Coordinates of all heavy atoms in Angstrom, one line a residue:
M1 N -31.8 3.8 0.3 CA -30.7 3.6 1.1 C -29.5 3.3 0.4 O -28.4 3.8 0.7 CB -31.1 2.5 2.2 CG -30.1 2.2 3.2 SD -30.2 3.5 4.5 CE -29.2 2.7 5.7
K2 N -29.6 2.5 -0.6 CA -28.4 2.1 -1.4 C -27.8 3.3 -2.1 O -26.6 3.4 -2.2 CB -28.8 1.0 -2.4 CG -27.7 0.1 -2.9 CD -28.2 -1.0 -3.7 CE -27.2 -2.1 -3.7 NZ -27.7 -3.2 -4.6
K3 N -28.6 4.1 -2.6 CA -28.1 5.3 -3.3 C -27.3 6.2 -2.4 O -26.3 6.7 -2.7 CB -29.3 6.1 -3.9 CG -28.8 7.2 -4.8 CD -30.0 7.9 -5.4 CE -29.5 9.0 -6.3 NZ -30.6 9.7 -7.0
E4 N -27.8 6.4 -1.1 CA -27.1 7.2 -0.1 C -25.7 6.7 0.1 O -24.7 7.4 0.2 CB -27.9 7.2 1.2 CG -29.0 8.1 1.2 CD -29.7 8.1 2.6 OE1 -29.1 7.7 3.6 OE2 -30.9 8.4 2.7
K5 N -25.6 5.3 0.3 CA -24.3 4.7 0.5 C -23.3 4.9 -0.6 O -22.2 5.2 -0.5 CB -24.5 3.2 0.7 CG -23.2 2.5 1.2 CD -23.5 1.0 1.6 CE -22.2 0.4 2.0 NZ -22.3 -1.0 2.4
M6 N -23.8 4.8 -1.9 CA -23.0 5.0 -3.0 C -22.5 6.5 -3.1 O -21.4 6.7 -3.4 CB -23.7 4.6 -4.3 CG -23.9 3.2 -4.5 SD -24.9 2.7 -5.9 CE -23.9 3.5 -7.2
E7 N -23.4 7.4 -2.8 CA -23.0 8.8 -2.8 C -22.0 9.1 -1.7 O -21.0 9.9 -2.0 CB -24.3 9.7 -2.6 CG -25.2 9.8 -3.8 CD -26.4 10.5 -3.6 OE1 -26.6 11.1 -2.6 OE2 -27.3 10.5 -4.5
S8 N -22.1 8.6 -0.5 CA -21.2 8.8 0.5 C -19.8 8.3 0.2 O -18.8 8.9 0.6 CB -21.7 8.3 1.8 OG -21.7 6.9 1.8
Q9 N -19.7 7.2 -0.5 CA -18.4 6.6 -0.9 C -17.7 7.4 -1.9 O -16.5 7.6 -1.8 CB -18.7 5.2 -1.5 CG -19.0 4.1 -0.4 CD -19.2 2.8 -1.0 OE1 -19.4 2.6 -2.2 NE2 -19.2 1.8 -0.1
S10 N -18.4 8.0 -2.8 CA -17.8 8.9 -3.9 C -17.4 10.2 -3.2 O -16.4 10.8 -3.7 CB -18.7 9.0 -5.1 OG -19.9 9.8 -4.6
V11 N -18.0 10.7 -2.2 CA -17.7 12.0 -1.6 C -16.5 11.7 -0.7 O -15.6 12.6 -0.5 CB -18.9 12.4 -0.8 CG1 -18.5 13.7 0.0 CG2 -20.0 12.8 -1.7
N12 N -16.4 10.6 -0.1 CA -15.3 10.3 0.9 C -14.4 9.1 0.4 O -14.6 8.0 0.8 CB -16.0 9.9 2.2 CG -14.9 9.8 3.4 OD1 -13.8 10.2 3.2 ND2 -15.3 9.2 4.5
P13 N -13.5 9.4 -0.5 CA -12.6 8.4 -1.1 C -11.7 7.9 0.0 O -11.3 8.5 0.9 CB -11.9 9.1 -2.2 CG -11.9 10.4 -1.8 CD -13.1 10.7 -1.1
Q14 N -11.3 6.6 -0.1 CA -10.4 6.0 0.8 C -9.1 6.6 0.6 O -8.5 6.7 -0.5 CB -10.3 4.5 0.5 CG -9.6 3.7 1.6 CD -9.8 2.2 1.5 OE1 -10.6 1.8 0.7 NE2 -9.0 1.5 2.2
L15 N -8.5 7.1 1.7 CA -7.1 7.8 1.7 C -6.0 6.9 2.1 O -4.8 7.2 1.8 CB -7.2 9.0 2.5 CG -8.2 10.1 2.1 CD1 -8.2 11.3 3.1 CD2 -7.9 10.6 0.8
V16 N -6.3 5.9 2.9 CA -5.3 5.0 3.4 C -5.7 3.5 3.2 O -7.0 3.3 3.2 CB -4.9 5.2 4.9 CG1 -4.3 6.6 5.1 CG2 -6.1 5.1 5.8
F17 N -4.8 2.6 3.1 CA -5.0 1.2 3.0 C -4.2 0.4 3.9 O -3.1 0.9 4.4 CB -4.6 0.8 1.5 CG -5.4 1.6 0.5 CD1 -4.8 2.7 -0.1 CD2 -6.6 1.2 0.1 CE1 -5.5 3.4 -1.1 CE2 -7.3 1.9 -0.9 CZ -6.7 3.0 -1.5
T18 N -4.7 -0.8 4.3 CA -3.9 -1.7 5.0 C -2.9 -2.3 4.1 O -3.0 -2.2 2.9 CB -4.8 -2.8 5.6 OG1 -5.4 -3.6 4.5 CG2 -5.9 -2.3 6.5
V19 N -2.0 -3.1 4.7 CA -1.0 -3.8 3.8 C -1.7 -4.8 2.9 O -1.4 -4.9 1.7 CB 0.1 -4.4 4.7 CG1 1.1 -5.2 3.8 CG2 0.8 -3.4 5.5
R20 N -2.7 -5.4 3.4 CA -3.4 -6.4 2.6 C -4.1 -5.8 1.5 O -4.1 -6.2 0.3 CB -4.4 -7.2 3.5 CG -5.2 -8.3 2.8 CD -6.1 -9.0 3.7 NE -5.5 -9.7 4.8 CZ -4.8 -10.8 4.7 NH1 -4.8 -11.5 3.6 NH2 -4.2 -11.3 5.9
E21 N -4.8 -4.6 1.7 CA -5.4 -3.9 0.6 C -4.4 -3.3 -0.4 O -4.7 -3.4 -1.6 CB -6.2 -2.7 1.2 CG -7.5 -3.1 2.1 CD -8.1 -2.0 2.8 OE1 -7.3 -1.1 3.2 OE2 -9.3 -2.1 3.0
A22 N -3.3 -2.8 0.1 CA -2.3 -2.3 -0.9 C -1.8 -3.5 -1.7 O -1.5 -3.3 -2.9 CB -1.1 -1.7 -0.1
A23 N -1.5 -4.7 -1.1 CA -1.1 -5.8 -1.9 C -2.0 -6.2 -3.0 O -1.6 -6.4 -4.1 CB -0.9 -7.0 -0.9
K24 N -3.3 -6.1 -2.7 CA -4.4 -6.4 -3.7 C -4.3 -5.3 -4.9 O -4.3 -5.6 -6.0 CB -5.7 -6.4 -3.1 CG -6.0 -7.7 -2.5 CD -7.6 -7.7 -2.1 CE -7.9 -9.0 -1.5 NZ -9.4 -9.1 -1.2
I25 N -4.1 -4.1 -4.5 CA -4.1 -3.0 -5.4 C -2.9 -3.1 -6.4 O -3.0 -3.0 -7.6 CB -4.1 -1.6 -4.7 CG1 -5.4 -1.4 -4.0 CG2 -3.7 -0.5 -5.7 CD1 -5.4 -0.2 -3.1
L26 N -1.8 -3.5 -5.8 CA -0.5 -3.6 -6.5 C -0.4 -5.0 -7.2 O 0.6 -5.2 -7.9 CB 0.7 -3.4 -5.6 CG 0.8 -1.9 -5.0 CD1 1.8 -1.9 -3.9 CD2 1.1 -1.0 -6.1
H27 N -1.3 -5.9 -6.9 CA -1.2 -7.3 -7.4 C 0.1 -7.9 -7.0 O 0.7 -8.6 -7.8 CB -1.3 -7.3 -9.0 CG -2.7 -6.7 -9.5 ND1 -3.8 -7.4 -9.4 CD2 -3.0 -5.5 -9.9 CE1 -4.8 -6.7 -9.9 NE2 -4.3 -5.5 -10.2
L28 N 0.3 -7.8 -5.8 CA 1.5 -8.5 -5.2 C 1.0 -9.4 -4.0 O -0.1 -9.2 -3.5 CB 2.4 -7.4 -4.5 CG 3.1 -6.4 -5.5 CD1 3.8 -5.3 -4.7 CD2 4.0 -7.1 -6.4
G29 N 1.9 -10.3 -3.7 CA 1.6 -11.2 -2.5 C 1.8 -10.4 -1.2 O 2.5 -9.3 -1.2
L30 N 1.1 -10.8 -0.2 CA 1.2 -10.1 1.1 C 2.6 -10.0 1.7 O 3.0 -9.0 2.1 CB 0.2 -10.8 2.1 CG 0.0 -10.2 3.4 CD1 -0.6 -8.7 3.2 CD2 -1.0 -11.0 4.2
N31 N 3.3 -11.1 1.6 CA 4.7 -11.1 2.1 C 5.6 -10.1 1.3 O 6.4 -9.4 2.0 CB 5.4 -12.5 2.0 CG 4.7 -13.5 3.0 OD1 4.2 -13.1 4.0 ND2 4.8 -14.8 2.7
K32 N 5.4 -10.0 0.0 CA 6.2 -9.1 -0.8 C 5.8 -7.6 -0.4 O 6.7 -6.8 -0.2 CB 6.0 -9.3 -2.2 CG 6.7 -8.3 -3.2 CD 8.2 -8.2 -2.9 CE 8.9 -9.3 -3.5 NZ 10.4 -9.2 -3.5
C33 N 4.6 -7.4 -0.2 CA 4.1 -6.1 0.3 C 4.7 -5.7 1.6 O 5.2 -4.5 1.8 CB 2.6 -6.0 0.3 SG 2.0 -4.3 0.1
Y34 N 4.7 -6.6 2.5 CA 5.4 -6.4 3.9 C 6.8 -6.1 3.7 O 7.4 -5.3 4.4 CB 5.1 -7.6 4.9 CG 3.9 -7.4 5.6 CD1 2.8 -8.3 5.4 CD2 3.7 -6.5 6.6 CE1 1.6 -8.2 6.1 CE2 2.5 -6.3 7.3 CZ 1.5 -7.2 7.0 OH 0.3 -7.1 7.7
E35 N 7.5 -6.8 2.9 CA 8.9 -6.6 2.6 C 9.2 -5.2 2.1 O 10.1 -4.5 2.5 CB 9.4 -7.6 1.6 CG 10.9 -7.5 1.3 CD 11.4 -8.4 0.2 OE1 10.7 -9.4 -0.1 OE2 12.5 -8.2 -0.3
L36 N 8.3 -4.7 1.2 CA 8.5 -3.4 0.6 C 8.3 -2.3 1.7 O 9.0 -1.4 1.7 CB 7.5 -3.2 -0.5 CG 7.7 -3.9 -1.8 CD1 6.5 -3.8 -2.7 CD2 9.0 -3.6 -2.5
V37 N 7.4 -2.6 2.6 CA 7.2 -1.7 3.8 C 8.5 -1.7 4.7 O 9.0 -0.6 5.1 CB 5.9 -2.1 4.5 CG1 5.8 -1.3 5.9 CG2 4.7 -1.8 3.8
R38 N 9.0 -2.9 5.0 CA 10.1 -3.1 5.9 C 11.3 -2.3 5.3 O 12.1 -1.7 6.0 CB 10.5 -4.5 6.0 CG 10.0 -5.1 7.3 CD 10.6 -6.5 7.6 NE 10.9 -7.3 6.4 CZ 10.0 -8.2 5.9 NH1 8.8 -8.3 6.4 NH2 10.3 -8.9 4.9
C39 N 11.5 -2.4 3.9 CA 12.6 -1.9 3.2 C 12.5 -0.4 3.0 O 13.4 0.3 2.5 CB 12.8 -2.5 1.9 SG 13.2 -4.2 1.9
K40 N 11.3 0.1 3.3 CA 11.0 1.5 3.1 C 10.9 1.9 1.7 O 11.0 3.1 1.3 CB 11.9 2.5 3.9 CG 11.9 2.2 5.4 CD 12.7 3.2 6.1 CE 12.9 2.9 7.6 NZ 11.9 2.8 8.4
R41 N 10.7 0.9 0.8 CA 10.4 1.2 -0.6 C 8.9 1.6 -0.8 O 8.6 2.3 -1.8 CB 10.7 0.0 -1.5 CG 12.3 -0.2 -1.6 CD 12.6 -1.2 -2.7 NE 12.1 -0.9 -4.0 CZ 11.9 -1.9 -4.9 NH1 12.3 -3.1 -4.6 NH2 11.4 -1.5 -6.1
L42 N 8.1 1.2 0.1 CA 6.6 1.6 0.0 C 6.4 2.3 1.4 O 6.5 1.7 2.5 CB 5.7 0.3 0.0 CG 4.2 0.5 0.0 CD1 3.9 1.5 -1.2 CD2 3.5 -0.8 -0.1
R43 N 6.2 3.6 1.3 CA 6.0 4.5 2.4 C 4.8 4.0 3.2 O 3.8 3.7 2.6 CB 5.9 5.9 2.0 CG 5.9 6.9 3.0 CD 6.1 8.3 2.5 NE 5.1 8.7 1.5 CZ 3.9 9.2 1.7 NH1 3.5 9.4 2.9 NH2 3.1 9.5 0.7
S44 N 5.0 4.0 4.5 CA 3.8 3.6 5.4 C 3.9 4.4 6.7 O 4.9 5.0 7.0 CB 3.9 2.1 5.7 OG 5.1 1.8 6.4
I45 N 2.8 4.3 7.4 CA 2.7 4.9 8.8 C 2.3 3.8 9.8 O 1.4 3.0 9.5 CB 1.6 6.0 8.7 CG1 2.0 7.1 7.7 CG2 1.5 6.6 10.1 CD1 0.8 8.0 7.3
R46 N 3.0 3.7 10.9 CA 2.7 2.8 11.9 C 1.9 3.5 13.0 O 2.3 4.5 13.5 CB 4.0 2.1 12.5 CG 3.6 1.1 13.5 CD 4.9 0.3 14.0 NE 5.5 -0.5 13.0 CZ 5.1 -1.8 12.8 NH1 4.1 -2.3 13.5 NH2 5.6 -2.5 11.9
V47 N 0.7 3.0 13.3 CA -0.1 3.5 14.4 C -0.3 2.4 15.4 O -1.1 1.5 15.1 CB -1.5 4.0 13.8 CG1 -2.3 4.6 15.0 CG2 -1.2 5.0 12.7
G48 N 0.5 2.4 16.4 CA 0.5 1.3 17.4 C 1.0 0.0 16.6 O 2.1 0.2 16.1
K49 N 0.3 -1.0 16.5 CA 0.7 -2.2 15.8 C 0.2 -2.2 14.4 O 0.6 -3.1 13.6 CB 0.2 -3.5 16.5 CG 0.9 -3.7 17.9 CD 0.4 -5.0 18.5 CE 1.2 -5.3 19.8 NZ 0.8 -6.6 20.3
K50 N -0.6 -1.3 14.0 CA -1.2 -1.3 12.7 C -0.4 -0.5 11.8 O 0.2 0.5 12.0 CB -2.6 -0.6 12.8 CG -3.4 -0.7 11.5 CD -4.8 -0.3 11.7 CE -5.6 -0.6 10.4 NZ -7.0 -0.9 10.7
I51 N -0.3 -1.0 10.5 CA 0.5 -0.3 9.5 C -0.5 0.1 8.4 O -1.4 -0.6 7.9 CB 1.5 -1.3 8.8 CG1 2.5 -1.8 9.8 CG2 2.1 -0.6 7.6 CD1 3.4 -2.9 9.3
I52 N -0.5 1.4 8.1 CA -1.4 2.0 7.1 C -0.5 2.6 6.0 O 0.6 3.1 6.2 CB -2.4 3.0 7.6 CG1 -1.7 4.1 8.4 CG2 -3.4 2.3 8.5 CD1 -2.7 5.2 8.8
I53 N -1.0 2.5 4.8 CA -0.3 3.0 3.6 C -1.1 4.1 2.9 O -2.2 3.8 2.5 CB 0.0 1.8 2.7 CG1 0.9 0.8 3.4 CG2 0.7 2.3 1.4 CD1 1.0 -0.5 2.6
P54 N -0.6 5.3 2.9 CA -1.3 6.4 2.2 C -1.5 6.1 0.7 O -0.7 5.5 0.1 CB -0.5 7.6 2.4 CG 0.5 7.3 3.5 CD 0.6 5.8 3.5
K55 N -2.6 6.5 0.2 CA -3.0 6.4 -1.2 C -1.8 7.0 -2.1 O -1.4 6.4 -3.0 CB -4.3 7.1 -1.5 CG -4.7 6.8 -2.9 CD -6.1 7.6 -3.1 CE -6.7 7.3 -4.5 NZ -8.0 8.0 -4.6
A56 N -1.3 8.1 -1.7 CA -0.2 8.7 -2.4 C 1.0 7.9 -2.4 O 1.8 7.9 -3.4 CB 0.1 10.1 -1.8
A57 N 1.3 7.1 -1.3 CA 2.5 6.2 -1.3 C 2.4 5.2 -2.4 O 3.5 4.8 -2.9 CB 2.6 5.6 0.1
I58 N 1.3 4.7 -2.7 CA 1.1 3.7 -3.7 C 1.5 4.3 -5.1 O 2.2 3.7 -5.9 CB -0.3 3.1 -3.7 CG1 -0.5 2.3 -2.4 CG2 -0.5 2.2 -4.9 CD1 -1.9 1.8 -2.2
S59 N 1.0 5.5 -5.3 CA 1.4 6.2 -6.6 C 2.9 6.5 -6.6 O 3.5 6.3 -7.7 CB 0.6 7.5 -6.6 OG -0.7 7.3 -6.8
E60 N 3.5 6.9 -5.5 CA 4.9 7.2 -5.5 C 5.7 5.9 -5.8 O 6.6 5.9 -6.6 CB 5.3 7.7 -4.1 CG 4.8 9.1 -3.7 CD 5.0 9.4 -2.3 OE1 5.6 8.6 -1.5 OE2 4.4 10.4 -1.9
F61 N 5.3 4.8 -5.2 CA 5.9 3.5 -5.4 C 5.9 3.1 -7.0 O 6.9 2.7 -7.5 CB 5.3 2.4 -4.6 CG 5.8 1.0 -4.9 CD1 7.1 0.6 -4.5 CD2 5.1 0.2 -5.7 CE1 7.6 -0.6 -4.8 CE2 5.6 -1.1 -6.0 CZ 6.8 -1.5 -5.5
L62 N 4.7 3.3 -7.5 CA 4.6 2.9 -8.9 C 5.4 3.8 -9.8 O 6.0 3.4 -10.8 CB 3.1 3.0 -9.3 CG 2.2 1.9 -8.7 CD1 0.7 2.2 -9.0 CD2 2.6 0.5 -9.1
N63 N 5.6 5.1 -9.5 CA 6.3 6.0 -10.3 C 7.8 5.7 -10.0 O 8.6 5.9 -11.0 CB 6.0 7.5 -9.9 CG 4.7 7.8 -10.4 OD1 4.1 7.3 -11.4 ND2 4.0 8.8 -9.7
E64 N 8.3 5.3 -8.9 CA 9.7 5.2 -8.6 C 10.2 3.8 -9.2 O 11.4 3.7 -9.4 CB 10.0 5.3 -7.2 CG 10.1 4.0 -6.5 CD 10.5 4.0 -5.0 OE1 10.4 5.1 -4.5 OE2 10.9 3.0 -4.4
T65 N 9.3 2.9 -9.4 CA 9.8 1.5 -9.9 C 10.5 1.6 -11.3 O 11.1 0.7 -11.6 CB 8.7 0.5 -9.9 OG1 7.6 1.0 -10.6 CG2 8.2 0.2 -8.5
D66 N 10.2 2.6 -12.0 CA 10.9 2.8 -13.3 C 12.4 2.9 -13.1 O 13.1 2.6 -14.1 CB 10.3 3.9 -14.1 CG 8.9 3.8 -14.5 OD1 8.4 2.6 -14.6 OD2 8.2 4.8 -14.7
D67 N 12.8 3.5 -12.0 CA 14.2 3.8 -11.8 C 15.0 2.7 -11.1 O 16.2 2.8 -10.9 CB 14.4 5.1 -11.0 CG 13.7 6.2 -11.7 OD1 13.6 6.2 -13.0 OD2 13.2 7.2 -11.0
I68 N 14.3 1.7 -10.6 CA 14.9 0.7 -9.7 C 14.9 -0.6 -10.4 O 13.9 -1.1 -11.0 CB 14.1 0.5 -8.4 CG1 14.2 1.9 -7.6 CG2 14.7 -0.6 -7.5 CD1 13.3 1.9 -6.4
P69 N 16.1 -1.4 -10.4 CA 16.1 -2.7 -11.1 C 15.2 -3.7 -10.4 O 14.9 -3.6 -9.3 CB 17.6 -3.1 -10.9 CG 18.3 -1.9 -10.4 CD 17.3 -0.9 -9.9
A70 N 14.7 -4.6 -11.3 CA 13.7 -5.5 -10.7 C 14.2 -6.4 -9.6 O 13.5 -6.9 -8.8 CB 13.2 -6.4 -11.9
Y71 N 15.5 -6.7 -9.6 CA 16.1 -7.5 -8.6 C 16.4 -6.8 -7.2 O 16.8 -7.3 -6.3 CB 17.4 -8.1 -9.0 CG 18.4 -7.1 -9.5 CD1 19.3 -6.6 -8.6 CD2 18.5 -6.8 -10.8 CE1 20.2 -5.6 -9.0 CE2 19.4 -5.9 -11.3 CZ 20.3 -5.3 -10.4 OH 21.2 -4.4 -10.8
A72 N 16.2 -5.4 -7.2 CA 16.5 -4.7 -6.0 C 15.6 -5.1 -4.9 O 14.3 -5.0 -5.0 CB 16.4 -3.2 -6.3
G73 N 16.2 -5.4 -3.8 CA 15.4 -5.8 -2.6 C 16.1 -5.5 -1.3 O 17.2 -4.9 -1.4
C74 N 15.6 -5.7 -0.2 CA 16.3 -5.4 1.0 C 17.0 -6.6 1.7 O 17.9 -6.4 2.4 CB 15.3 -4.7 2.0 SG 14.0 -5.7 2.7
N75 N 16.4 -7.8 1.5 CA 17.1 -9.0 2.1 C 17.3 -8.9 3.6 O 18.3 -9.2 4.1 CB 18.4 -9.3 1.4 CG 18.2 -9.6 -0.1 OD1 17.2 -10.1 -0.5 ND2 19.2 -9.2 -0.9
Y76 N 16.3 -8.5 4.3 CA 16.4 -8.4 5.8 C 16.6 -9.9 6.3 O 15.9 -10.8 5.9 CB 15.1 -7.8 6.4 CG 15.3 -6.3 6.4 CD1 14.7 -5.5 5.4 CD2 15.9 -5.7 7.5 CE1 14.7 -4.2 5.5 CE2 15.9 -4.3 7.6 CZ 15.4 -3.5 6.5 OH 15.4 -2.2 6.6
G77 N 17.5 -10.0 7.3 CA 17.6 -11.2 8.0 C 18.4 -12.3 7.2 O 18.4 -13.5 7.5
R78 N 19.0 -11.9 6.1 CA 19.8 -12.8 5.3 C 21.2 -12.6 5.3 O 21.8 -11.6 5.5 CB 19.3 -12.8 3.8 CG 17.9 -13.3 3.7 CD 17.5 -13.3 2.2 NE 16.1 -13.6 2.2 CZ 15.4 -13.6 1.2 NH1 15.9 -13.3 0.0 NH2 14.1 -13.9 1.2

């Protein structure tokens, strides 16, 4: 049974992540990850109240950070 589960996971890789999962992958705090989504620096899709982040969006974010200064942020509500 355990072998079947492992095989099905490798055949069906995870294509989208929650904000919490993306924050873990990026080694960021949850609030920072939500800020990146709000600022549209981290591409996301809203389905009802749920926010999902495509796997490709994480790669795009990591590739684009080379061109953006570390202090660049959106400062919503300030």
Side-chain angles (χ1 to χ4, degrees):
M1 183 77 166
K2 202 173 200 179
K3 187 176 181 182
E4 283 180 23
K5 187 175 182 181
M6 287 176 60
E7 286 176 6
S8 67
Q9 286 177 345
S10 63
V11 173
N12 188 14
Q14 190 169 350
L15 298 176
V16 296
F17 301 96
T18 64
V19 177
R20 183 176 300 280
E21 291 169 331
K24 279 187 174 184
I25 291 167
L26 294 168
H27 299 280
L28 296 172
L30 188 57
N31 289 338
K32 178 54 80 175
C33 202
Y34 273 112
E35 180 184 344
L36 293 171
V37 167
R38 262 193 322 273
C39 295
K40 300 187 190 298
R41 286 190 55 203
L42 180 59
R43 188 168 52 87
S44 63
I45 302 164
R46 185 176 284 276
V47 181
K49 291 184 176 183
K50 187 170 188 149
I51 298 170
I52 55 176
I53 299 170
K55 185 178 185 178
I58 294 173
S59 295
E60 291 166 10
F61 172 75
L62 292 172
N63 289 331
E64 99 178 15
T65 53
D66 294 336
D67 304 331
I68 298 174
Y71 57 83
C74 66
N75 298 327
Y76 274 93
R78 292 183 188 175

